[in-house]
Amino acid sequence: MYADIIIDISHEKLDKVFQYRIPEELLPRLTIGMQVQVPFGSGNALRTGYVVDITDQTDYDVDKIKDIARIVEQSVPIESQLIALAAWMRRNYGGTMNQALKTVIPVKHKERLQQKRTVELALTDMVEAKNLLAELTRKHRTARARLLEALLENDRIDYEVVTHKLNVTAAVLRAMEEQGIIRIVSEDRYRNPVGHLTKSGYNIVLNEEQQAVVDAIDADFQAEQYGNYLIQGVTGSGKTEVYMELIARAAAQGRSSIVLIPEIALTFQTVMRFYNRFGDRVSILHSRLSQGERYDQFLRAKNGELDVMIGPRSALFTPFSNLGYIIIDEEHESSYKSETVPRYHARETAMERARMAGASVILGSATPSLESSYRAEKGQLRRFYLSNRAKNASTLPTCHVADLREELKNGNRSILSRKLQELMEERLVRGEQVMLFLNRRGMAGFVSCRECGEAVKCPHCDVSLSLHNNGTLKCHYCGYEMSQVTRCPSCGSKYIGAFRAGTQKIEEIVKKRFPGARVLRMDYDTTRTKDSYEKILSAFANEEADILIGTQMIVKGHDFPKVTLVGILAADLSLHANDYRAAERTFQLLTQAAGRAGRAERAGEVVIQTYQPDHYAVQAAKDQDYERFYEQELAYRELMCYPPVWNLLLIAVTSPREAEAESCSRKLGQWLQEHFSQLSMIGPTEATVAKVNDIYRRVIYLKSEDYGDLVCAKDGLESVLSQGMWRQTTVQFDFNPITGF
Ligand code: ADP
Ligand code: ZN
Ligand code: ZN
């Protein structure tokens, strides 16, 4: 048996794996992630390395391969844990070990650390120092006297303060240093993304419901009974306060926590809540940090400078060696599933990491994923409920459903139903705020022909083009653009035009209908520049506008106390997505959007506009009835053998050559039929979008009750593929995919 070993954990050398033979006596004990000593280089000096893989084959000359010298016996370093986690991810989600390692091990950066310089007193004799001060004052050497006086009061002063506030020049400082009066000390400083904030304290006392959850989870924690928990709390029930209390208790015992939040919810407001409680013991990771800043945060975590790391999915790999909790807020969010290989889900990966580390996982949501509810039902997750809003007098909103078919029948052709218009009018008179939510972007949806029914599609991607403000049609997959057409490309009819309205169009309509209202719009187009997202939110929070129109971006994690009406303009748009989670996503979106209304004293109302008022996702969202939705949806999943009841593996075959995509997918399909005939298979077939950017796409779906069967099938297919017959073809595996392909 042979082991793949990396000598140095740094990004550059992850690719560089060295193979060693595993001596018989080490074989039973050696596992992936272990630290070992190996002879290295021509002198065979012993170096420490990490085992990243164990195989029974070697690509090297068997006579020349060296033996592992010994296993390093010591407490398991954090790197070992992360390498073992990478191995688990590769096994359960596919891809190579190298891809998995790059996901879990932070990238080393080459930029230099920032320097922090301080000035301190070198004199140790205080009498001497005071005499010197008197002498300097007498001789009118005021700058020197000023500094010396300040140093007699403070042990050390920032270099910048000395030069800028005390007005002591660099030349004077140098002279004083040479005379042995002062010392200038420089030290490396990690960049701190929250370093500019000021802490203002907090004064929240948990209510009974919250306290009960904290006590129960904390009791397990104190008894070292680490577990997996689900907090199902209605919007505004104070889940974040529960997390913070548990984190604080763990921190008091030297245990650190990771809080995962969807990137879009990582707003200034959220960061401040944590900062007010934990100050500089909290740090954040997000996509706008530079590589160097990210790496610094990982080092700070490793060095024990932090109690909490907040960030999106990738923050899961923060190298805390004393992990207490991993918290996943809004656990139902699709952003917790990686879109690149390995296509891991943060929820399961967190549970595995916590299991290895001896830590607890807390999932939180108002609308838990079917997966988590299903697990809770089967006793694999312990569930707690928070059923009331935390703020005094705040209650859940009243929901109305407006049937858009009826509106049309009654001659209302506007995108705003009469009920919504009426309630908006009321809010504007009372000086309250309104949010209008549309699950779409661009000026108006697709362009279609009313005579033949064809939509104008992208020639490369086989998806409908979207009409933009400047009159062009654009493909959202590949960026292809064409100018607006006046005749149908299929049949030549001139009855061709934009179909449904987008956010820009709605803004126009709203401004026309309510000329006095101040309107803000938040969508992909208005938030492309840095900070624009935060600016729009704070402008709305400061009541600089009456109405905020937006896409799903406005649904997340923001408290607007003055919002008492939420309009959901076309609830069923997301029901048309052609994958099995369409209803679940619609229910979650509607419930979350509705949850924006009435977060403070004034009661909220919600209008759900839809063409399918009887759909169970719409009905359940209207009544804020999670249980009813869950039962119906689970029955559907059971009937169709979909997750979470069964497991689904998507095998995606892509190639610039259509013939290769075809032959490869056909071959894989045949092989599966021969070796895994007990699994149910769909395909091979063309993907929903058969071509993107001139790349051909084929899919195979495998279903099984047992996840392990799918892993075996994947392993088998990987060995078929390793024979290398399809050079230009890529095959990716996606376990329990959350989006269609
Ligand atoms: P969730 O995360 O469940 O949506 P939050 O934790 O954001 O809820 O709480 C919603 C609002 O209620 C926040 O403004 C928060 O400060 C407030 N809040 C939470 N718990 C309490 C409490 N015990 N007393 C007073 N206000 C609270
Ligand atoms: Zn036509
Ligand atoms: Zn395209």
Side-chain angles (χ1 to χ4, degrees), residues 669-699:
Q670 267 168 17
W671 188 90
L672 285 168
Q673 243 157 21
E674 283 160 26
H675 296 83
F676 284 89
S677 54
Q678 80 279 14
L679 301 183
S680 81
M681 180 166 85
I682 308 168
T685 171
E686 283 191 348
T688 322
V689 183
K691 193 167 86 163
V692 173
N693 232 343
D694 293 316
I695 300 286
Y696 293 88
R697 295 147 52 103
R698 296 281 189 281
V699 290

Short mmCIF file of all heavy atoms in Angstrom, two decimals, residues 669-699:
data_model
loop_
_atom_site.label_atom_id
_atom_site.label_comp_id
_atom_site.label_asym_id
_atom_site.label_seq_id
_atom_site.Cartn_x
_atom_site.Cartn_y
_atom_site.Cartn_z
N GLY A 669 -24.21 5.16 -19.36
CA GLY A 669 -25.54 4.60 -19.14
C GLY A 669 -25.52 3.08 -19.24
O GLY A 669 -26.06 2.38 -18.38
N GLN A 670 -24.85 2.57 -20.28
CA GLN A 670 -24.75 1.12 -20.47
C GLN A 670 -24.04 0.46 -19.30
O GLN A 670 -24.49 -0.55 -18.77
CB GLN A 670 -23.92 0.82 -21.73
CG GLN A 670 -24.75 0.65 -22.97
CD GLN A 670 -23.87 0.66 -24.21
OE1 GLN A 670 -22.65 0.47 -24.12
NE2 GLN A 670 -24.48 0.91 -25.36
N TRP A 671 -22.94 1.08 -18.90
CA TRP A 671 -22.15 0.51 -17.80
C TRP A 671 -22.99 0.44 -16.52
O TRP A 671 -22.95 -0.55 -15.80
CB TRP A 671 -20.90 1.37 -17.59
CG TRP A 671 -19.93 0.77 -16.62
CD1 TRP A 671 -18.91 -0.08 -16.90
CD2 TRP A 671 -19.95 0.93 -15.19
NE1 TRP A 671 -18.27 -0.45 -15.75
CE2 TRP A 671 -18.88 0.15 -14.68
CE3 TRP A 671 -20.74 1.65 -14.30
CZ2 TRP A 671 -18.59 0.09 -13.33
CZ3 TRP A 671 -20.46 1.59 -12.95
CH2 TRP A 671 -19.39 0.81 -12.48
N LEU A 672 -23.76 1.48 -16.30
CA LEU A 672 -24.62 1.49 -15.11
C LEU A 672 -25.66 0.38 -15.18
O LEU A 672 -25.93 -0.29 -14.19
CB LEU A 672 -25.30 2.85 -14.95
CG LEU A 672 -24.41 3.98 -14.43
CD1 LEU A 672 -25.08 5.33 -14.59
CD2 LEU A 672 -24.04 3.74 -12.96
N GLN A 673 -26.22 0.19 -16.39
CA GLN A 673 -27.23 -0.85 -16.53
C GLN A 673 -26.64 -2.23 -16.25
O GLN A 673 -27.28 -3.08 -15.64
CB GLN A 673 -27.82 -0.83 -17.94
CG GLN A 673 -29.30 -0.50 -17.91
CD GLN A 673 -29.77 0.08 -19.23
OE1 GLN A 673 -29.13 -0.10 -20.27
NE2 GLN A 673 -30.89 0.76 -19.19
N GLU A 674 -25.39 -2.42 -16.68
CA GLU A 674 -24.75 -3.70 -16.45
C GLU A 674 -24.38 -3.92 -14.99
O GLU A 674 -24.50 -5.01 -14.47
CB GLU A 674 -23.47 -3.82 -17.30
CG GLU A 674 -23.76 -4.11 -18.76
CD GLU A 674 -22.58 -3.75 -19.66
OE1 GLU A 674 -21.42 -3.75 -19.15
OE2 GLU A 674 -22.82 -3.45 -20.84
N HIS A 675 -23.90 -2.86 -14.33
CA HIS A 675 -23.35 -3.04 -12.98
C HIS A 675 -24.26 -2.60 -11.84
O HIS A 675 -24.09 -3.01 -10.72
CB HIS A 675 -22.01 -2.31 -12.85
CG HIS A 675 -20.97 -2.86 -13.76
ND1 HIS A 675 -20.87 -2.49 -15.07
CD2 HIS A 675 -20.01 -3.78 -13.55
CE1 HIS A 675 -19.87 -3.14 -15.64
NE2 HIS A 675 -19.32 -3.93 -14.74
N PHE A 676 -25.17 -1.71 -12.13
CA PHE A 676 -26.03 -1.19 -11.05
C PHE A 676 -27.50 -1.22 -11.48
O PHE A 676 -28.22 -0.24 -11.34
CB PHE A 676 -25.63 0.24 -10.68
CG PHE A 676 -24.38 0.30 -9.84
CD1 PHE A 676 -23.12 0.38 -10.43
CD2 PHE A 676 -24.45 0.28 -8.45
CE1 PHE A 676 -21.97 0.42 -9.67
CE2 PHE A 676 -23.31 0.33 -7.68
CZ PHE A 676 -22.06 0.39 -8.30
N SER A 677 -27.92 -2.38 -11.98
CA SER A 677 -29.27 -2.45 -12.54
C SER A 677 -30.34 -2.25 -11.46
O SER A 677 -31.48 -1.94 -11.75
CB SER A 677 -29.48 -3.78 -13.24
OG SER A 677 -29.17 -4.82 -12.34
N GLN A 678 -29.95 -2.42 -10.17
CA GLN A 678 -30.94 -2.26 -9.10
C GLN A 678 -31.29 -0.78 -8.88
O GLN A 678 -32.30 -0.46 -8.27
CB GLN A 678 -30.46 -2.91 -7.80
CG GLN A 678 -29.46 -2.12 -6.98
CD GLN A 678 -28.01 -2.24 -7.50
OE1 GLN A 678 -27.77 -2.69 -8.63
NE2 GLN A 678 -27.06 -1.82 -6.70
N LEU A 679 -30.45 0.15 -9.36
CA LEU A 679 -30.74 1.57 -9.18
C LEU A 679 -31.66 2.05 -10.30
O LEU A 679 -31.54 1.60 -11.43
CB LEU A 679 -29.45 2.39 -9.23
CG LEU A 679 -28.37 2.04 -8.21
CD1 LEU A 679 -27.20 2.99 -8.34
CD2 LEU A 679 -28.94 2.09 -6.80
N SER A 680 -32.55 2.97 -9.98
CA SER A 680 -33.39 3.45 -11.07
C SER A 680 -32.69 4.60 -11.77
O SER A 680 -32.11 5.49 -11.14
CB SER A 680 -34.79 3.79 -10.58
OG SER A 680 -34.81 5.05 -9.99
N MET A 681 -32.73 4.55 -13.10
CA MET A 681 -31.95 5.48 -13.90
C MET A 681 -32.86 6.25 -14.86
O MET A 681 -33.76 5.67 -15.45
CB MET A 681 -30.90 4.70 -14.68
CG MET A 681 -30.03 5.55 -15.56
SD MET A 681 -28.56 4.66 -16.14
CE MET A 681 -29.21 3.81 -17.55
N ILE A 682 -32.61 7.54 -14.99
CA ILE A 682 -33.30 8.35 -16.00
C ILE A 682 -32.23 8.83 -16.97
O ILE A 682 -31.22 9.38 -16.55
CB ILE A 682 -33.99 9.58 -15.38
CG1 ILE A 682 -34.87 9.16 -14.20
CG2 ILE A 682 -34.79 10.35 -16.40
CD1 ILE A 682 -35.34 10.34 -13.36
N GLY A 683 -32.44 8.64 -18.25
CA GLY A 683 -31.45 9.08 -19.23
C GLY A 683 -30.57 7.94 -19.66
O GLY A 683 -30.89 6.79 -19.36
N PRO A 684 -29.46 8.21 -20.33
CA PRO A 684 -28.94 9.54 -20.66
C PRO A 684 -29.85 10.31 -21.63
O PRO A 684 -30.47 9.71 -22.49
CB PRO A 684 -27.60 9.24 -21.33
CG PRO A 684 -27.54 7.78 -21.56
CD PRO A 684 -28.65 7.13 -20.88
N THR A 685 -29.86 11.62 -21.41
CA THR A 685 -30.69 12.46 -22.25
C THR A 685 -30.07 13.86 -22.34
O THR A 685 -29.14 14.17 -21.60
CB THR A 685 -32.12 12.55 -21.65
OG1 THR A 685 -32.85 13.53 -22.35
CG2 THR A 685 -32.07 12.94 -20.19
N GLU A 686 -30.59 14.67 -23.25
CA GLU A 686 -30.12 16.05 -23.32
C GLU A 686 -30.52 16.79 -22.05
O GLU A 686 -31.59 16.53 -21.50
CB GLU A 686 -30.78 16.77 -24.51
CG GLU A 686 -30.19 16.39 -25.83
CD GLU A 686 -30.69 17.31 -26.94
OE1 GLU A 686 -31.65 18.07 -26.69
OE2 GLU A 686 -30.12 17.26 -28.03
N ALA A 687 -29.67 17.68 -21.57
CA ALA A 687 -30.04 18.49 -20.40
C ALA A 687 -31.16 19.45 -20.78
O ALA A 687 -31.41 19.66 -21.97
CB ALA A 687 -28.82 19.27 -19.92
N THR A 688 -31.82 20.00 -19.76
CA THR A 688 -32.91 20.96 -20.02
C THR A 688 -32.41 22.05 -20.96
O THR A 688 -33.08 22.45 -21.90
CB THR A 688 -33.34 21.65 -18.71
OG1 THR A 688 -33.30 20.68 -17.68
CG2 THR A 688 -34.70 22.25 -18.83
N VAL A 689 -31.22 22.56 -20.63
CA VAL A 689 -30.57 23.49 -21.54
C VAL A 689 -29.50 22.66 -22.23
O VAL A 689 -28.50 22.30 -21.64
CB VAL A 689 -29.95 24.66 -20.78
CG1 VAL A 689 -29.34 25.65 -21.75
CG2 VAL A 689 -31.00 25.34 -19.91
N ALA A 690 -29.76 22.31 -23.51
CA ALA A 690 -28.94 21.29 -24.16
C ALA A 690 -27.58 21.81 -24.60
O ALA A 690 -26.66 21.05 -24.86
CB ALA A 690 -29.68 20.72 -25.36
N LYS A 691 -27.44 23.14 -24.62
CA LYS A 691 -26.20 23.71 -25.12
C LYS A 691 -25.99 25.05 -24.44
O LYS A 691 -26.88 25.88 -24.43
CB LYS A 691 -26.31 23.90 -26.63
CG LYS A 691 -25.02 24.18 -27.34
CD LYS A 691 -25.18 24.04 -28.85
CE LYS A 691 -25.68 25.32 -29.47
NZ LYS A 691 -25.51 25.42 -30.93
N VAL A 692 -24.83 25.25 -23.80
CA VAL A 692 -24.52 26.55 -23.22
C VAL A 692 -23.17 26.99 -23.75
O VAL A 692 -22.19 26.25 -23.65
CB VAL A 692 -24.44 26.50 -21.67
CG1 VAL A 692 -23.95 27.84 -21.12
CG2 VAL A 692 -25.80 26.18 -21.07
N ASN A 693 -23.14 28.19 -24.35
CA ASN A 693 -21.86 28.69 -24.82
C ASN A 693 -21.18 27.69 -25.75
O ASN A 693 -19.97 27.47 -25.67
CB ASN A 693 -20.95 28.96 -23.61
CG ASN A 693 -20.38 30.35 -23.67
OD1 ASN A 693 -20.41 30.97 -24.74
ND2 ASN A 693 -19.89 30.82 -22.56
N ASP A 694 -21.96 27.04 -26.59
CA ASP A 694 -21.47 26.05 -27.54
C ASP A 694 -20.89 24.79 -26.89
O ASP A 694 -20.09 24.09 -27.50
CB ASP A 694 -20.45 26.67 -28.51
CG ASP A 694 -21.14 27.69 -29.41
OD1 ASP A 694 -22.25 27.38 -29.90
OD2 ASP A 694 -20.58 28.79 -29.62
N ILE A 695 -21.25 24.54 -25.64
CA ILE A 695 -20.87 23.29 -24.98
C ILE A 695 -22.12 22.41 -24.90
O ILE A 695 -23.17 22.86 -24.43
CB ILE A 695 -20.35 23.55 -23.54
CG1 ILE A 695 -19.11 24.46 -23.56
CG2 ILE A 695 -20.05 22.23 -22.82
CD1 ILE A 695 -17.84 23.80 -24.02
N TYR A 696 -21.99 21.17 -25.35
CA TYR A 696 -23.14 20.26 -25.35
C TYR A 696 -23.29 19.58 -24.00
O TYR A 696 -22.29 19.24 -23.37
CB TYR A 696 -22.99 19.21 -26.46
CG TYR A 696 -23.08 19.88 -27.81
CD1 TYR A 696 -21.94 20.40 -28.42
CD2 TYR A 696 -24.31 20.04 -28.45
CE1 TYR A 696 -22.02 21.07 -29.63
CE2 TYR A 696 -24.40 20.72 -29.65
CZ TYR A 696 -23.24 21.23 -30.25
OH TYR A 696 -23.34 21.90 -31.42
N ARG A 697 -24.52 19.43 -23.56
CA ARG A 697 -24.77 18.93 -22.21
C ARG A 697 -25.72 17.75 -22.22
O ARG A 697 -26.82 17.81 -22.75
CB ARG A 697 -25.37 20.06 -21.35
CG ARG A 697 -24.41 21.21 -21.13
CD ARG A 697 -25.09 22.57 -21.01
NE ARG A 697 -26.17 22.67 -20.05
CZ ARG A 697 -26.05 23.25 -18.86
NH1 ARG A 697 -24.92 23.73 -18.45
NH2 ARG A 697 -27.09 23.33 -18.07
N ARG A 698 -25.26 16.64 -21.60
CA ARG A 698 -26.11 15.45 -21.46
C ARG A 698 -26.21 15.10 -19.97
O ARG A 698 -25.28 15.40 -19.21
CB ARG A 698 -25.48 14.23 -22.17
CG ARG A 698 -25.36 14.38 -23.65
CD ARG A 698 -26.69 14.13 -24.34
NE ARG A 698 -26.55 14.06 -25.77
CZ ARG A 698 -26.44 15.14 -26.56
NH1 ARG A 698 -26.45 16.35 -26.05
NH2 ARG A 698 -26.33 15.00 -27.87
N VAL A 699 -27.31 14.50 -19.58
CA VAL A 699 -27.45 14.15 -18.16
C VAL A 699 -27.94 12.71 -17.97
O VAL A 699 -28.63 12.15 -18.83
CB VAL A 699 -28.46 15.06 -17.43
CG1 VAL A 699 -27.90 16.45 -17.27
CG2 VAL A 699 -29.80 15.08 -18.13
#
